[in-house]
Amino acid sequence: MSSSLLSIGTQALNANQSALSYTGQNIANVNTEGYTRQRVNFETQQPPILGVGIQDVQRVTDQFLVEQVWRDQSALSSSEQQAKKMELLDKLMVSESTSLSSAMDNYFAALQRTVDDPLFIGNRQLFLAEAESLVSTFRTFDQRLTEQQTAITTEARSMVGTINTITGSIAQLNVKISSLAASGQNYNSLLDDRDQLTKELAKFVSLDVVSSDGGITNNILLANGEPLVSSGRAATMTVRDGSPDPAQIDVFLQRGNTAAKITGVLGEGALGGLFTYRDEVLQPTRSEVGRIALVLTTTMNEQHRKGVDLDGRLGSDLFSPTLQGQVYSGLSNKSTGVTTNLTFYDVTQLTASDYEVEITGVDSFRVKRLTDGALFYSRDMANLEASESVGPGGAFSRDDSGNVGTLTLSLDGFTFTLNSNGKPQKGDQFLLQPTKNAARAMQLAITRPESLALASPLRVTPASSNAGNAELLSIEILDGSDTSPLRPGQLDTPIEIVFNALNADGEQKYSVYDVTDPDNPALIDGMSQLNYTPGEPITINTLAGDAIYQIAFANQPRPGDRFMVEYNTDGVSDNTNALALSDLQRAETANGYSYQDAYGQLLAQVGTKANSITVAYEAGKAVLSASEDALESIRGVNLDEEAARLIQYQQAYTASTRLITAYQDIFDSLISAVR
Amino acid sequence: MRISTTQFYTESTRNMLEGQSSLAEIQNKIASGKNFTSLAEDPVGASRVVNLKRELAQFDIFQSNIDGTKRRLELEETTLDALNNATTRAQELIIQASNGTLSDADRLAISYELEELVEYSASLMNTRDAKGEYIFSGSKGTTQTYVKNADGTYTYQGDDSRKQIQVGSNQYLESTDTGQDLFESVPGALSLSLIGGGNNPQLDGAFSNLEITDETAFSAFMQSTGDLKLSINEGTAGALYYSLTDSAGTPITNENTGTDLNLTSYTVSTPATSVTETIAVPGATFDLALPASAGVSEPSISLAGDGVDRLSTVSSPSTNPTLSNSQEFVDFYASTGPFRISVAVNPAATTVYDVSILGYNESTGLYDQDLTAALETAGSLTIGNTDPLTINLPGWNLSLDASESFEADIDVSLEPAQEVTLRLEQPLSNILSVLSNAVEAMRTNSITSASDRSALFGTLAGSLDSLAVIQGRYSQSIAGLGARLNAVDSAEFANGDFKLLTEATLSSVVDLDYASAATELSKRQLALEAAYSSFAKIQGLSLFNFIN
């Protein structure tokens, strides 16, 4: 009697009842996040049995769209993370109180006031105050960037913790689902849970999902194929201090006993976005700000040392000089007895890049400039000792005499010195950061306003009987270092430049005399009857032949015209050096640009990046909502639809009950007919 | 396309949220008045703003520099005007004092007023600005400009450096003037002074009796020759020669004798005294006392090398290594330049004494030009092949110990003589000293004789001449000041124009266009309201409402 009305009716009742309950399930879960509507599929019983059965409970979804949503979510999270971090940098650069350009404007404005009146102590004090403010603006800027770096590290760690939790749950779900599938039960809601978890994970990293058993077990892979979750096992992500720079943390994936570095393959997603921001925006900005600070302090110091302060002494450093950059040795380096040094030979050639030096052989090495990936090989470099200046390709020299071998490399404005026992081992790596920490180390070295060296150390006095119209064009001090002969006590020699009669060829000549004893001028060696060209600098040397300063005259003198050059004693109102310092504002000192132009370029770069991130963020939002809409339109519960189905199954249920009633009637009729 | 119920709600919510945030953004812009508040909104604009602000800051600086300079120049102008007036009054007083009918007492009275004027002028020249800096002292701002000496004259204490300030992006102006330039304007008497050669006592006071017959011709002469150089050479047997050249080395012609003064001989009559020679040059004559010995005016030989030890001190202690006739040697040296005497003594060899003279080759830096043969042929080089080895060169004989074999070199170079220079000087004086002298003259009591009178009037006339020169310089300076003030003014105008342009550009980049912003505001407001009302209308639609 398997196909009797009763059995048909009972089957129909059961089928419709479960259809109704699943409809109820859909309606109840209309607001559940990530819920995929389930549809009951009926099928007729196999002949000769009549009736209806439930084929399956279908989870109405489109796996392609699901994965599309995951991908779009990763992209959006990456842009979102970068945009959020970018806001800080944006505000720092735009706001008047933190902008480096406004601080420099104020600094140079105060400097110009000292140009106008260098004797007035008030002007000097104001300038020192503005210089202090400039220093603190640079340091604050750098500090905020460093704080952001620390925040990134903290966030990365917490993200990695969250990722580990999620991958663990996904692995457990894999196990549960396969056990449920094995026992034939409905695991649709677990699938929903797993998809939700995967979407959460996609917010952090880019991922690929591969399933070998038709969706029961989902293996989750990173962008480069490293498995995060393989069936029931989840790999652990860890955060470690970076090498060679410990502050640049790296993310590792632990599988069993091996750990692979995955920082570069995180792809998109918030974690990837963090690192992208750190490496493409934050670190380069710090380096660039450091470079501007370094160039500013070094050029200001050099010029300041060429002037004389109110006490009549040659100027010392205005800012504490940044003498060294940062060098990190690779953690797996094998050389012993290593000491390193990173100094500067020409700050105007510095770039804002970090450099990687790798020893590639017994006597060869390779330098990589990290901003543009340019490579410099030792075989192409000039010999440092032989050449006077360093070309764009760099120069190096090696000194292996003695127990400690020294490698000296000069490139792009810096000099890297590596001392090691014997020669450095092949494979050793060093990370050079010439400018990164310069802004942090900035400090004003002068506190007394009288110590500002604003006057020229030399005074030029034309003789009162001069008849020509030659006049002083410029004086340039060549040597402002600590060993300069202009430092007190080392050079008291006043000199006199005397123009002679025209010689037989009609050429104007001049001679230079030492007039320490005005009644007995002594002709200086090698400075007799030299050719005079208006505008051409005359170099004055010490007895040893080192050039101290250069002086240039314009126009034509008459024979017998003389100019005396002596130390500028009591010349307290002179503003020549103040003017020279102030002219540095326009000088192209930072690799072809002035300080504020370099800052403007940085601003434009950061701004363009911020703009494109914002655009990407907005676009990402639109793209994600489009794909989510597409997905929802397939799997989302529509209450109207469910309401209609409710009616539909209710009617079918009622009709099914009528089958049983009909059967009962038939049975009753049969029984009463037989009595 | 099928829509799920949640989708409807999420989309509507999203639209409303976006509408709200865009409305808030435009409201923020209107409230702040700025086109953009972050770099991301307009990176190009932000970078331009930085540049424009920098330019504006610089214009402000230039303006304050211009203001400072104007104040300073105007103060100078006022001071110079007052000085000019004082000078005019001084002129009147001196003219009055030149009146022959005045008595001593009258002149005394005038002298008091003149003295007051001097002190008044001195105080004007010592003007200090508001911060206490002396404005006419050049770069010595804390040093008083003029200081009175014991004899009533005034000396300028400052220097000749002028301050430059920046008034435009490539425009610099001098903002100060020095007392040297403005007040040291009275030329004193032309004089020649002898400097150098101080170690030869016989040259002290060697120069005297400068008489200038034609000042113009004489200044012109001195301006074409520069400093005159005197050099003394000693020849054989103490014969003395002197040369007087201009600063290029060309000898001067003594117009008295018509000869070029190049190695002109002179004789010293009594030992240890000098000879005076009268030299005539265009426009002047002067006496030159020529010393009895050359002393340091003579060039000397400098020897180096290992052969110096070999110089014999036994046989010719007095001649090694001095010149016997510096004039001859100087001539000889002029043709050879620095040279090396290379000596090899080997008693066992065929040529016992081997001497060669090697000239210095500048291009190679070595002594490799063999001059021996040429000099021997010319008779300049004589070698005595004995012990001690004598080598005779024009004006210099040396002998070397040749008792044993050796090889040695002696490098010879000529130390130039210490220059003796005759320099033209014309010290400048200032009005204060001139007037002080006039005061002194007026106070001379008892003008009785005609010579006293003419002396007094001569001094006063000289003072009037100086005053005329001084006033000429004042007018020149005031005119110059006026020109500079004009330049400052035009710089100010130009800066003002540039600043206006820059501000306009900055405003166009930064400031909000209120018209379009207000329109945008109402547009977004409408959109938000539409979102609200459409949500309200649609949200109530559900099939469940119609099924009972």
Side-chain angles (χ1 to χ4, degrees):
Chain A
M1 276 285 281
S2 43
S3 43
S4 74
L5 210 52
L6 188 62
S7 70
I8 297 175
T10 325
Q11 283 179 41
L13 270 179
N14 284 335
N16 285 316
Q17 191 170 37
S18 38
L20 274 172
S21 49
Y22 276 108
T23 309
Q25 163 89 325
N26 282 346
I27 293 175
N29 281 305
V30 66
N31 289 328
T32 308
E33 172 126 24
Y35 177 76
T36 312
R37 67 193 168 104
Q38 301 186 48
R39 190 161 64 193
V40 173
N41 287 331
F42 297 103
E43 65 176 350
T44 58
Q45 293 288 16
Q46 291 293 331
I49 304 172
L50 296 174
V52 72
I54 296 195
Q55 181 187 23
D56 64 6
V57 180
Q58 185 191 4
R59 195 169 159 259
V60 184
T61 182
D62 181 339
Q63 191 60 22
F64 171 73
L65 285 175
V66 171
E67 292 182 8
Q68 179 80 39
V69 167
W70 291 340
R71 270 198 294 281
D72 296 337
Q73 177 67 61
S74 297
L76 175 67
S77 295
S78 169
S79 311
E80 185 179 8
Q81 194 60 238
Q82 290 184 59
K84 270 204 287 218
K85 291 280 172 288
M86 204 66 135
E87 264 179 42
L88 169 72
L89 201 51
D90 196 315
K91 285 217 180 13
L92 267 184
M93 300 196 90
V94 162
S95 156
E96 282 282 316
S97 54
T98 50
S99 158
L100 292 179
S101 188
S102 349
M104 284 194 261
D105 280 339
N106 292 342
Y107 172 79
F108 283 107
L111 186 51
Q112 278 277 1
R113 262 188 275 277
T114 64
V115 167
D116 183 56
D117 192 348
L119 183 55
F120 181 43
I121 286 288
N123 282 345
R124 289 170 174 249
Q125 282 168 337
L126 189 64
F127 172 66
L128 280 181
E130 284 298 338
E132 187 66 53
S133 159
L134 179 70
V135 164
S136 104
T137 309
F138 266 96
R139 290 170 79 165
T140 311
F141 202 97
D142 187 82
Q143 198 182 353
R144 301 287 281 279
L145 295 183
T146 319
E147 281 169 8
Q148 195 174 50
Q149 162 110 338
T150 317
I152 286 177
T153 308
T154 316
E155 263 189 68
R157 281 189 207 276
S158 90
M159 275 188 201
V160 160
T162 315
I163 289 173
N164 287 337
T165 317
I166 294 176
T167 50
S169 314
I170 293 179
Q172 283 174 359
L173 276 176
N174 273 342
V175 170
K176 267 199 220 153
I177 290 172
S178 43
S179 69
L180 281 184
S183 61
Q185 294 176 40
N186 184 336
Y187 51 85
N188 283 343
S189 55
L190 287 183
L191 286 178
D192 283 345
D193 288 341
R194 193 176 62 186
D195 279 350
Q196 266 313 99
L197 283 174
T198 313
K199 186 176 178 193
E200 276 301 306
L201 186 60
K203 284 187 189 165
F204 294 108
V205 289
S206 277
L207 43 83
D208 274 326
V209 170
V210 165
S211 179
S212 47
D213 51 10
I216 296 182
T217 316
N218 268 356
N219 297 322
I220 301 191
L221 312 172
L222 286 177
N224 68 340
E226 297 258 1
L228 268 181
V229 175
S230 22
S231 54
R233 265 196 329 278
T236 318
M237 267 196 205
T238 51
V239 169
R240 289 200 208 161
D241 285 346
S243 158
D245 180 358
Q248 303 269 77
I249 52 164
D250 277 320
V251 181
F252 283 78
L253 193 63
Q254 196 101 19
R255 258 173 310 124
N257 287 336
T258 52
K261 185 159 89 168
I262 54 167
T263 318
V265 295
L266 291 169
E268 299 176 304
L271 192 59
L274 267 187
F275 285 108
T276 309
Y277 172 77
R278 183 194 71 179
D279 294 333
E280 284 179 19
V281 179
L282 186 60
Q283 296 294 10
T285 305
R286 264 196 89 210
S287 292
E288 179 65 17
V289 168
R291 182 176 81 103
I292 296 177
L294 191 55
V295 171
L296 180 75
T297 51
T298 312
T299 46
M300 283 276 156
N301 279 351
E302 264 173 33
Q303 188 61 50
H304 189 253
R305 296 177 74 93
K306 293 180 182 175
V308 151
D309 63 16
L310 279 184
D311 299 324
R313 283 197 290 262
L314 218 59
S316 56
D317 284 324
L318 179 58
F319 297 98
S320 300
T322 307
L323 298 167
Q324 291 225 35
Q326 187 91 20
V327 178
Y328 292 104
S329 300
L331 291 178
S332 51
N333 280 0
K334 297 195 276 297
S335 310
T336 53
V338 165
T339 56
T340 53
N341 223 336
L342 186 59
T343 54
F344 308 102
Y345 67 85
D346 185 2
V347 294
T348 64
Q349 288 182 37
L350 285 175
T351 64
S353 175
D354 293 348
Y355 296 79
E356 246 173 39
V357 176
E358 185 179 336
I359 311 289
T360 51
V362 176
D363 266 322
S364 63
F365 58 87
R366 185 188 68 188
V367 185
K368 183 170 168 190
R369 182 164 60 201
L370 293 178
T371 44
D372 57 359
L375 291 170
F376 302 88
Y377 294 94
S378 55
R379 59 172 182 264
D380 299 325
M381 288 191 193
N383 189 345
L384 186 60
E385 278 161 18
S387 40
E388 281 201 8
S389 63
V390 181
F396 79 102
S397 68
R398 172 158 244 133
D399 179 11
D400 291 315
S401 58
N403 295 331
V404 176
T406 307
L407 168 67
T408 314
L409 162 69
S410 286
L411 175 67
D412 281 351
F414 66 85
T415 302
F416 170 57
T417 319
L418 172 63
N419 302 315
S420 58
N421 288 338
K423 301 208 172 157
Q425 301 287 326
K426 176 174 172 179
D428 276 2
Q429 286 187 337
F430 299 91
L431 177 68
L432 310 180
Q433 296 182 334
T435 61
K436 194 157 276 177
N437 292 322
R440 183 166 66 188
M442 209 168 157
Q443 207 177 9
L444 193 63
I446 291 194
T447 47
R448 279 178 76 234
E450 293 86 353
S451 303
L452 279 175
L454 302 176
S456 168
L458 299 169
R459 173 189 295 135
V460 176
T461 314
S464 50
S465 54
N466 281 1
N469 53 9
E471 54 181 10
L472 176 68
L473 187 59
S474 64
I475 289 195
E476 198 189 318
I477 313 290
L478 295 176
D479 184 2
S481 64
D482 277 336
T483 50
S484 164
L486 288 170
R487 299 263 157 201
Q490 295 184 46
L491 178 77
D492 298 310
T493 316
I495 62 150
E496 203 166 38
I497 299 176
V498 180
F499 289 95
N500 296 327
L502 301 180
N503 68 1
D505 300 325
E507 291 165 348
Q508 175 87 58
K509 306 267 188 188
Y510 65 91
S511 305
V512 184
Y513 294 84
D514 172 345
V515 289
T516 322
D517 178 2
D519 291 327
N520 279 306
L523 190 60
I524 297 182
D525 263 346
M527 302 222 79
S528 165
Q529 304 288 1
L530 298 173
N531 242 336
Y532 170 67
T533 318
E536 202 180 282
I538 300 168
T539 309
I540 308 293
N541 305 319
T542 59
L543 286 173
D546 303 315
I548 321 171
Y549 60 91
Q550 277 184 338
I551 180 170
F553 292 96
N555 302 332
Q556 277 302 123
R558 289 284 193 86
D561 281 358
R562 341 187 270 282
F563 293 85
M564 180 153 75
V565 183
E566 55 179 349
Y567 202 69
N568 197 9
T569 328
D570 284 336
V572 292
S573 297
D574 188 50
N575 71 347
T576 314
N577 208 36
L579 199 57
L581 282 170
S582 151
D583 281 344
L584 282 175
Q585 188 182 18
R586 274 185 308 285
E588 289 173 355
T589 42
N591 212 350
Y593 294 93
S594 68
Y595 316 122
Q596 287 167 295
D597 279 342
Y599 179 72
Q601 283 204 319
L602 176 65
L603 195 86
Q605 273 171 15
V606 168
T608 316
K609 198 88 179 58
N611 185 304
S612 60
I613 289 292
T614 310
V615 167
Y617 180 41
E618 295 296 322
K621 274 199 276 194
V623 165
L624 180 63
S625 53
S627 33
E628 275 179 345
D629 278 354
L631 181 60
E632 271 303 295
S633 74
I634 302 219
R635 73 166 185 193
V637 172
N638 186 325
L639 283 178
D640 294 343
E641 189 189 22
E642 300 303 319
R645 280 198 209 277
L646 209 53
I647 309 282
Q648 179 186 358
Y649 296 137
Q650 257 181 336
Q651 278 189 345
Y653 188 83
T654 319
S656 317
T657 55
R658 288 238 68 91
L659 279 180
I660 300 190
T661 323
Y663 178 78
Q664 193 174 29
D665 283 346
I666 293 174
F667 193 74
D668 280 346
S669 310
L670 201 56
I671 295 291
S672 57
V674 172
R675 195 152 21 106
Chain B
M1 191 182 88
R2 182 176 175 278
I3 299 201
S4 72
T5 312
T6 45
Q7 207 176 342
F8 164 70
Y9 282 103
T10 41
E11 261 200 55
S12 305
T13 319
R14 191 189 320 138
N15 286 336
M16 284 190 283
L17 286 177
E18 273 189 27
Q20 279 180 343
S21 80
S22 85
L23 192 63
E25 182 200 330
I26 192 78
Q27 197 267 337
N28 190 21
K29 278 196 184 161
I30 291 178
S32 69
K34 287 198 188 317
N35 229 350
F36 56 89
T37 46
S38 69
L39 277 183
E41 290 176 56
D42 189 358
V44 173
S47 152
R48 285 183 74 193
V49 164
V50 163
N51 282 340
L52 290 170
K53 284 200 176 155
R54 182 189 355 164
E55 277 183 42
L56 282 178
Q58 285 189 328
F59 286 132
D60 285 337
I61 292 172
F62 297 148
Q63 188 55 46
S64 81
N65 281 350
I66 286 173
D67 288 339
T69 307
K70 260 195 186 166
R71 274 201 312 272
R72 214 173 278 127
L73 291 179
E74 278 163 7
L75 178 61
E76 272 187 38
E77 205 174 20
T78 321
T79 313
L80 280 178
D81 270 341
L83 276 169
N84 211 5
N85 292 340
T87 313
T88 314
R89 179 69 190 135
Q91 269 180 331
E92 288 171 7
L93 286 174
I94 292 180
I95 292 174
Q96 199 180 355
S98 304
N99 189 335
T101 58
L102 288 181
S103 70
D104 288 346
D106 293 334
R107 270 193 295 277
L108 192 62
I110 296 176
S111 79
Y112 285 136
E113 193 182 340
L114 197 58
E115 196 174 23
E116 281 294 319
L117 269 181
V118 170
E119 280 171 21
Y120 171 63
S121 300
S123 75
L124 282 178
M125 290 177 186
N126 286 335
T127 306
R128 296 158 83 151
D129 69 4
K131 300 188 197 105
E133 212 177 309
Y134 289 98
I135 63 174
F136 293 117
S137 285
S139 72
K140 291 190 180 173
T142 48
T143 316
Q144 186 172 334
T145 319
Y146 277 95
V147 154
K148 187 171 181 178
N149 301 323
D151 60 358
T153 55
Y154 284 76
T155 315
Y156 178 64
Q157 306 270 79
D159 67 10
D160 201 34
S161 310
R162 296 160 85 177
K163 232 191 302 202
Q164 284 212 331
I165 54 148
Q166 192 174 10
V167 294
S169 65
N170 230 335
Q171 204 181 357
Y172 298 85
L173 274 184
E174 277 164 1
S175 71
T176 55
D177 288 295
T178 61
Q180 179 80 31
D181 195 39
L182 292 172
F183 307 134
E184 298 290 307
S185 51
V186 180
L190 276 178
S191 63
L192 273 183
S193 62
L194 192 88
I195 50 174
N199 292 338
N200 185 343
Q202 300 209 334
L203 283 172
D204 282 347
F207 172 73
S208 53
N209 279 346
L210 173 67
E211 269 180 39
I212 302 178
T213 51
D214 182 350
E215 219 170 277
T216 335
F218 183 53
S219 334
F221 169 71
M222 288 309 291
Q223 279 170 26
S224 67
T225 56
D227 294 339
L228 299 177
K229 309 272 183 208
L230 174 70
S231 59
I232 317 276
N233 287 322
E234 240 177 66
T236 34
L240 293 163
Y241 305 87
Y242 77 98
S243 310
L244 194 63
T245 62
D246 69 5
S247 45
T250 324
I252 306 286
T253 316
N254 183 354
E255 294 191 341
N256 272 352
T257 57
T259 49
D260 276 354
L261 296 174
N262 181 23
L263 288 172
T264 313
S265 73
Y266 68 98
T267 28
V268 179
S269 46
T270 350
T273 59
S274 47
V275 169
T276 310
E277 187 91 12
T278 310
I279 317 265
V281 292
T285 57
F286 57 89
D287 287 341
L288 191 59
L290 300 167
S293 65
V296 295
S297 313
E298 185 167 25
S300 59
I301 286 208
S302 159
L303 300 174
D306 46 6
V308 179
D309 300 331
R310 295 270 157 195
L311 289 171
S312 169
T313 49
V314 175
S315 53
S316 319
S318 57
T319 56
N320 272 343
T322 53
L323 296 171
S324 55
N325 185 334
S326 67
Q327 174 258 325
E328 270 185 33
F329 188 77
V330 167
D331 251 346
F332 166 69
Y333 188 81
S335 57
T336 60
F339 58 91
R340 169 179 288 177
I341 305 175
S342 187
V343 182
V345 173
N346 187 353
T350 35
T351 327
V352 180
Y353 305 103
D354 184 16
V355 175
S356 38
I357 312 285
L358 304 161
Y360 181 72
N361 186 341
E362 277 213 15
S363 48
T364 60
L366 303 168
Y367 292 94
D368 57 8
Q369 291 176 331
D370 197 340
L371 309 165
T372 329
L375 291 173
E376 281 190 304
T377 327
S380 310
L381 174 64
T382 326
I383 306 171
N385 290 325
T386 53
D387 172 25
L389 175 64
T390 55
I391 301 172
N392 295 338
L393 292 164
W396 186 38
N397 307 317
L398 55 130
S399 56
L400 296 155
D401 256 327
S403 43
E404 51 186 20
S405 59
F406 69 89
E407 272 184 38
D409 293 328
I410 303 179
D411 292 340
V412 182
S413 58
L414 194 64
E415 289 290 295
Q418 192 173 28
E419 284 185 357
V420 179
T421 312
L422 274 89
R423 173 171 291 168
L424 176 70
E425 275 171 8
Q426 188 168 41
L428 294 174
S429 174
N430 53 59
I431 180 181
L432 303 173
S433 303
V434 164
L435 290 179
S436 291
N437 286 339
V439 166
E440 272 291 313
M442 281 187 222
R443 290 197 184 153
T444 317
N445 286 328
S446 55
I447 302 283
T448 46
S449 64
S451 58
D452 286 344
R453 205 183 303 267
S454 61
L456 170 65
F457 292 152
T459 316
L460 294 183
S463 311
L464 279 179
D465 285 340
S466 305
L467 284 181
V469 170
I470 288 166
Q471 282 207 308
R473 179 64 72 90
Y474 282 160
S475 347
Q476 219 180 20
S477 311
I478 292 179
L481 267 181
R484 247 182 303 147
L485 276 170
N486 279 345
V488 168
D489 276 339
S490 23
E492 191 173 8
F493 287 140
N495 282 346
D497 283 342
F498 285 135
K499 185 170 174 186
L500 212 55
L501 270 174
T502 312
E503 279 176 346
T505 315
L506 182 64
S507 169
S508 73
V509 173
V510 160
D511 289 340
L512 186 66
D513 176 2
Y514 275 97
S516 61
T519 317
E520 189 70 19
L521 177 69
S522 35
K523 191 172 84 174
R524 294 187 190 183
Q525 213 175 351
L526 183 63
L528 185 60
E529 283 173 7
Y532 285 153
S533 63
S534 58
F535 177 80
K537 282 204 187 343
I538 303 177
Q539 57 86 27
L541 297 173
S542 172
L543 186 54
F544 281 106
N545 297 343
F546 296 97
I547 309 175
N548 50 0

